[in-house]
Structures are given as structure tokens and as C-alpha cells.
Amino acid sequence: MNKRILLSLLYAVFFMGTFLHAHFPPYHYNEYDMEQGQTSLDLIKERKRLDVVILNSPTTYYAGAEREVGFDYDLISSFAKEIGVDLNLTVVYTVSEALQKSRDGVGDITVAGLTITDERKKEFKFGPQYHTVQEQLICSSSMYKKKTFPRDTEDMKGLHIVVGKDTSYETTLNKIKAEVEGFTFSVTTEYSTEQLLELTHKNEIDCTVADSSVFMINQRYFPKLVRALVLSPRKGLAWILRDDDNSLNDALYRWLNRYERSGKMAELRDYYYTFLSIFDYYDTSIFYERLKKRLPKYKKYFIGAGEKHKINWMVLAAQSYQESHWNPHAKSHTGVRGMMMLTNNTAKLLGVKNRVDVKQSIYGGAKYMRVIEKMLSPEIIGKNRWAFTLASYNVGYGHILDAQVLARKLNKNPNSWLDIKEVLPLLSQKKYFRKLKYGYARGNEPVKYVDAIQNYYDIIQKREAKNEIIRLEKEKRDEELRIAKEILREQNRGKVGLKVLPKNKVWVGYININTKKKYQKIAVNDLDIDPEKDWLLLFGGGNITLEVNHEIEKYSSSKNMRFKYVDGKLTKITLAEFKSLNDGKKW
């Protein structure tokens, strides 16, 4: 395929989703239509278009890397396909806007993750219930230490609690306010529920209220959030309909019943509310295992694809690990598959006939990376260029363009990854994304994605350099050996790190040598300890694995094990030395 044609086609993949639903003004019903004997559903089918007011939010609808995504969006798309019409979206950014559009009679359906409340039923007509949620008071775990964590509604007095205006949460808190003397809360039109969860995570407010499904999605991004109280019984979610004769409502009931029975609804719920669409970041202990067992099987394909498309093969390998954990059969609900997790459409454009074929997937992913890289401004240079390319691969090129636009407005360098990685998280904030072309994005995701790949790349690079030194030592090639060692020293310069890699639960005690401040944790996942400080470390008997400056070190003992970490170097020490550095104390 001609490179220019391929570039144009792939460029279209990035952008067609955003423009696909913006061609027509939303439909307004009038009495004349009904007088002609046409039902609401007849009118929709006649114009071959379903007009939908939809909320731009992570649980409802947003532009993904290559297509629109969201639990509600996938549902309404399926219904539109069922009745043989296209979707025409009017995107709004707050529940208040969505409700106002409904009052104005805009479109056929309002899709905004709305709970069915008595107040709303007085004003709007709801379609069938498609999901249930509970309203929950969400607070920061730091409130435990402050002893301000609420155990009942009485404890909510005096807390800084904020919810969105015109949400069902506001109604729920008003009921509590009427029952609990002295309780107050604030409402906002500036922040979405997701942003309020982030503010809670940052301790800028004490608590907010969120549906259980919204909390589930956001908990992995904001791990300090804790459910404090359940504030409501389970409530149904439904869409608002403009449907005087019930024809649209009846069609939705029939479709939803078939959708549930087919198992597709369970799969969709599992994906959005249970399945993690990206792998956990920095699962270093697992990575080291797969580095030994999986990478050797696929290394030749990474090298070949790297040479063909002029990309460092270790970057491709690190990216592939983040995408699929080097699992050729990896797949997700959204349709991405294989080592490089390509969509079906992208694979076809790249000439990939079988996405689970290792070679085709890796070569296709490398070609895709090069296509994205060529779309970038020539002003993005050096390592910045590959960071931008990887971020685009993850979140979509359109959102990277938005981040650059926003960077300029904030007087930051739009061509510097250091600046853009500060701007990208702002794409999840309504006050920013509603003014940008491609709208809401989980801006933290591409930042973590690039950081994770850099971490994996550093480990692969160091391992490869060591293997090369071993080979040269065996072959007694002294001059090449000297150069290889110098390269390794240069790669390691300034790179320090101290991490506990538990296979099972392990107790860790560590003391700052300078301040004598003590910490102790039960480590279940990888535990990072600040490598810029000097530490004493204490472990119980058993097996422990540490990562020290990107090197794996394993220790085993039936007795307690003690270490000092000073100036970036870890040393196992005796009880006597431990006590001498800890004012004579064993702990």
C-alpha cells in the first residue's frame, strides 16, 4: 500500500469517531408528525438516524484512542444498530445541561447515566432500567488518622462535602440535611463527580457522593478513596425519552430483554466495572519472570520489526509488555487483540491478517507507531518524540493535540513531554475539556503508560547490556568489553531505586537513618522506598526479593534479616551494626 494512502487512512481512524456524530442538528418533535399517524420509532427509522443527547464522562461516553467508548455509549450504539439507524450525538458536559436539553425537547433520547428519582419522574419520561447503583459517601482514607472518618450520618456534620448541582446526590444530601441538625454541604457546577473524587483523593475536600459504579471505575486511579457510608437503596439507571406513543420505549424494552438474555450485558458490565482494560503498572516481580520465560521467544520479531521501521526494538518490547504482557492471545471487550493490542480496523489498514499471529502483530504495531510518529510536528524532537508517539498510541492523537492546545494557553511548551505530562491530566477536568475539540480523556492514563514503558525499557536495556558483557567476556574481546562496560555505566548513571517485590504478604520495617523516623507495612504489592534517602531495613525470616537500582537481589534466612541502604547501595548487616545505626535499638 502507498505510504501516503496508508497515512491518510490511519489518520482517519484517529479522527472519524469524533466527527462521525456531528453532521446533523438534533431533531425536535412536533404535533404535525403525530397527526400523520407516524410513531416516534417510525420517524427515527424514516430519517435513519437516532438523535441522542449524551454526557461526556468516563462512565457514559468519551473519545478513546481510536473510537468512542463508554458503558452507555456501547449500549445505545447496540440499540441503534438493532433498529438499523445511525447515531447523531449532541454532547453535553454536565447533568444539568443534559436535563435542560431534555426540557427543551432536543433529540430522541438523553443518555447521561441518570438515576430514576421521584422528582425526575414528575418531569421526564424514562425508558427501561438497564443498570442499578447505590449512592455512596466516598472519603479519603487519611481521615482515619485524623479520627474524622464518618461512621454514620451524624458524623457527616462539620465535614467539607461537595456534590454536583442537579445530581441525585444533591437530593439525597438535602434529605439528610433535613434530618441531621447542623449538617451542611456544598454544590458545584464546575466539577464533575470524577473530579470531585480526585479532589477527595488529594484531601482538598473531605468527601463526595458517587454511584457505586462510578466509584468502582475510579478506585484504581485514586487508591486512597474509601466508601464510608451507603446513602441510598439500589436505584435504577435509565435514559430519558421523547416518546409520546411508547413506540420507542417498547422497542427499547424488547431489545434490552434480548441483550440481557444473550449475555452481552453481563460481558459489558464485567468489562467496564470489573475488567481492567490496561494492565497494572510496575508489576516488576512478574515482569522479571516473563523477561526470562517469554521475551526470548519473541525477541527476534521485535528486532526484525525495529530494524524494518527504524524503532529501537527494546521500546517495542517494552510497549508490547505494557499492552499484552507478551501474551499473543490477549484481548479486550473493545476488540483489541494480540501482542500489540490492535483493533480490527487498524489491523486491516496495516495489512495484518491475523492479530494473534505474533510476527504480524509486532510488525503491525511497529508500522502503526511509525505512522503516528510521522503525524507529529517536526518541532517535537529527541526522546520527546517517542514519548508523544507512545502517548498517542494509548489515548489517541486527537487528545494529544488537545493537550498541546491547552499547553499553549497555560504558557507551557507544547513540544516538551515534561510539560505535556503535566497538562494531560487536566483533560479529565470539565473546565478544560469542554473547551477542547476532543473532549474528556483520562489524561493520567497516557502519563502512566509512558512511564511504565520507560521503566520496562530501562530494565530490558540493562539486562541486554549485561548479557552482552557476559558474551564478550567469554569470547575475550577486551576492547569491545571495555566499551560495553562504559555504556552500561552510562546507562546506570543517576538511576537509583529501592523496591520490595513480595510474592506473598511480607512485613517490612524501615527507618530513616538521619531522622530515625520509623515505618512498617505489610507489603502485598510492590513497595517503593524513597531511594534518595538512607535507610535501615528489617525483615522477618523467610524469602525476600528486592530490586535495587534495577537489579534483582534475593535473600533467604530462617532468622530476621537486616540491611542498610546508604548512598544508593544496599548492604546486609548484623544486629550489632543495625543497633549502632539506630541509637542502640533493635527496632
Side-chain angles (χ1 to χ4, degrees):
M1 183 183 288
N2 180 281
K3 285 185 178 180
R4 184 170 293 178
I5 295 174
L6 175 64
L7 184 61
S8 299
L9 287 171
L10 285 171
Y11 194 89
V13 168
F14 281 107
F15 292 98
M16 66 180 179
T18 305
F19 293 113
L20 185 60
H21 307 299
H23 297 315
F24 304 99
Y27 191 80
H28 289 73
Y29 284 104
N30 58 64
E31 294 179 3
Y32 174 78
D33 293 321
M34 296 303 147
E35 289 173 0
Q36 302 305 304
Q38 291 180 297
T39 66
S40 302
L41 187 61
D42 288 336
L43 287 168
I44 291 166
K45 289 183 175 180
E46 182 179 283
R47 66 177 185 264
K48 298 182 179 179
R49 193 179 78 241
L50 181 67
D51 291 332
V52 176
V53 174
I54 197 163
L55 180 67
N56 190 196
S57 79
T59 52
T60 306
Y61 160 84
Y62 63 98
E66 295 182 22
R67 72 170 187 92
E68 289 101 332
V69 291
F71 180 70
D72 288 74
Y73 173 76
D74 280 2
L75 281 177
I76 194 65
S77 296
S78 179
F79 174 68
K81 186 177 180 180
E82 169 84 5
I83 62 175
V85 299
D86 293 328
L87 275 182
N88 183 44
L89 302 185
T90 298
V91 180
V92 295
Y93 301 96
T94 64
V95 169
S96 295
E97 288 180 77
L99 294 178
Q100 190 56 51
K101 292 287 185 185
S102 301
R103 294 185 184 101
D104 295 339
V106 176
D108 306 301
I109 300 178
T110 295
V111 175
L114 296 167
T115 50
I116 306 169
T117 64
D118 291 337
E119 291 81 2
R120 286 172 178 168
K121 283 196 293 184
K122 292 175 185 176
E123 190 175 3
F124 306 108
K125 177 176 182 176
F126 284 95
Q129 174 182 304
Y130 62 89
H131 193 49
T132 60
V133 296
Q134 284 181 310
E135 293 179 2
Q136 301 174 340
L137 183 70
I138 308 301
C139 304
S140 169
S141 60
S142 64
M143 296 176 71
Y144 284 121
K145 292 182 180 179
K146 299 175 186 176
K147 297 183 179 180
T148 57
F149 193 82
R151 303 294 182 179
D152 54 37
T153 52
E154 286 287 337
D155 291 342
M156 293 167 63
K157 291 189 293 187
L159 297 181
H160 184 198
I161 299 172
V162 185
V163 296
K165 185 174 175 53
D166 291 333
T167 60
S168 60
Y169 315 142
E170 181 182 7
T171 303
T172 297
L173 292 186
N174 273 325
K175 290 179 181 177
I176 295 174
K177 185 177 180 180
E179 297 169 358
V180 178
E181 186 177 351
F183 169 67
T184 61
F185 67 96
S186 302
V187 296
T188 178
T189 57
E190 182 179 356
Y191 297 109
S192 67
T193 300
E194 287 73 21
Q195 288 173 258
L196 291 172
L197 288 170
E198 184 174 5
L199 291 177
T200 305
H201 184 260
K202 293 178 177 177
N203 296 315
E204 293 182 29
I205 60 176
D206 290 324
C207 307
T208 189
V209 180
D211 287 341
S212 50
S213 56
V214 175
F215 174 54
M216 286 171 67
I217 286 178
N218 283 277
Q219 194 174 26
R220 79 163 299 203
Y221 302 101
F222 308 123
K224 294 178 184 177
L225 296 181
V226 180
R227 183 187 72 182
L229 300 170
V230 174
L231 300 181
S232 77
R234 296 203 74 83
K235 295 182 177 181
L237 298 184
W239 301 330
I240 293 175
L241 309 183
R242 260 74 67 201
D243 177 30
D244 292 335
D245 57 13
N246 282 330
S247 59
L248 179 57
N249 189 52
D250 291 344
L252 277 165
Y253 267 106
R254 290 192 298 271
W255 160 77
L256 189 60
N257 189 34
R258 288 192 296 273
Y259 198 78
E260 287 272 13
R261 285 195 318 239
S262 71
K264 291 180 180 177
M265 178 65 88
E267 181 185 350
L268 196 67
R269 286 184 181 130
D270 186 55
Y271 174 72
Y272 278 104
Y273 299 125
T274 305
F275 175 76
L276 300 183
S277 59
I278 53 172
F279 289 103
D280 289 334
Y281 296 103
Y282 307 127
D283 51 349
T284 317
S285 57
I286 297 174
F287 177 66
Y288 275 103
E289 290 295 317
R290 290 172 177 167
L291 198 60
K292 295 176 185 176
K293 296 177 181 178
R294 294 188 180 183
L295 182 58
K297 290 189 261 182
Y298 310 127
K299 181 177 174 180
K300 63 182 179 181
Y301 300 120
F302 290 120
I303 292 173
E307 289 176 350
K308 182 172 182 178
H309 296 288
K310 296 181 174 57
I311 303 172
N312 186 314
W313 75 266
M314 288 179 278
V315 171
L316 291 176
Q319 182 192 15
S320 176
Y321 184 79
Q322 181 56 38
E323 289 286 345
S324 68
H325 279 191
W326 297 327
N327 175 8
H329 300 283
K331 63 180 179 180
S332 82
H333 160 77
T334 55
V336 293
R337 297 198 70 183
M339 292 282 281
M340 300 298 281
M341 296 299 267
L342 301 171
T343 66
N344 194 42
N345 286 340
T346 300
K348 287 178 181 178
L349 291 169
L350 293 166
V352 175
K353 295 179 180 179
N354 182 1
R355 287 180 291 161
V356 298
D357 179 90
V358 172
K359 182 176 180 180
Q360 288 188 50
S361 182
I362 292 172
Y363 275 70
K367 180 190 277 190
Y368 195 17
M369 282 276 284
R370 180 54 75 182
V371 167
I372 296 171
E373 185 270 330
K374 288 181 178 177
M375 293 162 63
L376 300 177
S377 164
E379 295 178 6
I380 302 172
I381 59 175
K383 291 183 179 179
N384 289 307
R385 200 162 184 83
W386 285 111
F388 273 74
T389 302
L390 289 167
S392 298
Y393 194 107
N394 173 256
V395 76
Y397 182 58
H399 291 304
I400 298 302
L401 291 178
D402 273 353
Q404 289 183 291
V405 169
L406 184 55
R408 292 185 183 95
K409 291 179 180 178
L410 298 175
N411 295 316
K412 293 182 179 292
N413 184 352
N415 302 313
S416 163
W417 177 246
L418 286 176
D419 281 5
I420 289 297
K421 71 187 294 186
E422 292 181 8
V423 173
L424 275 166
L426 303 180
L427 300 188
S428 65
Q429 296 185 24
K430 184 178 64 180
K431 67 179 179 180
Y432 295 114
F433 73 68
R434 68 183 303 172
K435 297 176 183 177
L436 297 170
K437 190 171 185 178
Y438 300 95
Y440 172 88
R442 281 198 178 280
N444 285 308
E445 284 294 337
V447 175
K448 293 179 180 178
Y449 181 82
V450 173
D451 285 349
I453 291 170
Q454 180 64 58
N455 182 55
Y456 297 139
Y457 170 80
D458 285 343
I459 294 171
I460 294 171
Q461 184 186 50
K462 191 164 188 175
R463 181 175 180 270
E464 289 298 312
K466 285 195 159 189
N467 287 343
E468 178 67 4
I469 287 171
I470 291 170
R471 183 181 70 82
L472 292 172
E473 284 176 340
K474 286 181 179 178
E475 296 177 6
K476 297 182 178 180
R477 296 162 69 173
D478 295 341
E479 181 57 23
E480 291 177 59
L481 179 62
R482 183 190 64 78
I483 294 171
K485 287 182 177 180
E486 181 58 38
I487 291 172
L488 181 60
R489 278 194 294 273
E490 187 61 34
Q491 288 174 353
N492 291 338
R493 198 181 306 280
K495 292 181 180 176
V496 295
L498 179 59
K499 187 179 296 189
V500 181
L501 308 177
K503 288 193 174 180
N504 301 300
K505 289 183 180 179
V506 58
W507 181 86
V508 185
Y510 47 110
I511 304 168
N512 186 311
I513 291 177
N514 297 314
T515 65
K516 296 300 185 288
K517 187 171 182 178
K518 298 179 180 180
Y519 307 84
Q520 52 182 319
K521 290 188 178 180
I522 302 294
V524 179
N525 301 311
D526 294 0
L527 172 64
D528 285 291
I529 299 174
D530 188 347
E532 301 298 332
K533 296 176 181 176
D534 295 335
W535 299 98
L536 291 173
L537 291 91
L538 174 63
F539 299 87
N543 300 311
I544 63 166
T545 302
L546 304 174
E547 182 188 351
V548 185
N549 305 334
H550 299 300
E551 290 284 344
I552 290 294
E553 299 186 14
K554 296 184 178 182
Y555 299 89
S556 180
S557 175
S558 59
K559 299 179 180 179
N560 288 346
M561 289 175 278
R562 296 172 175 82
F563 301 84
K564 68 177 180 181
Y565 180 80
V566 177
D567 294 332
K569 183 179 179 181
L570 183 76
T571 308
K572 193 173 182 182
I573 59 176
T574 63
L575 173 60
E577 187 174 358
F578 187 95
K579 289 171 67 177
S580 71
L581 293 168
N582 192 37
D583 297 334
K585 300 174 183 176
K586 291 182 180 180
W587 167 239

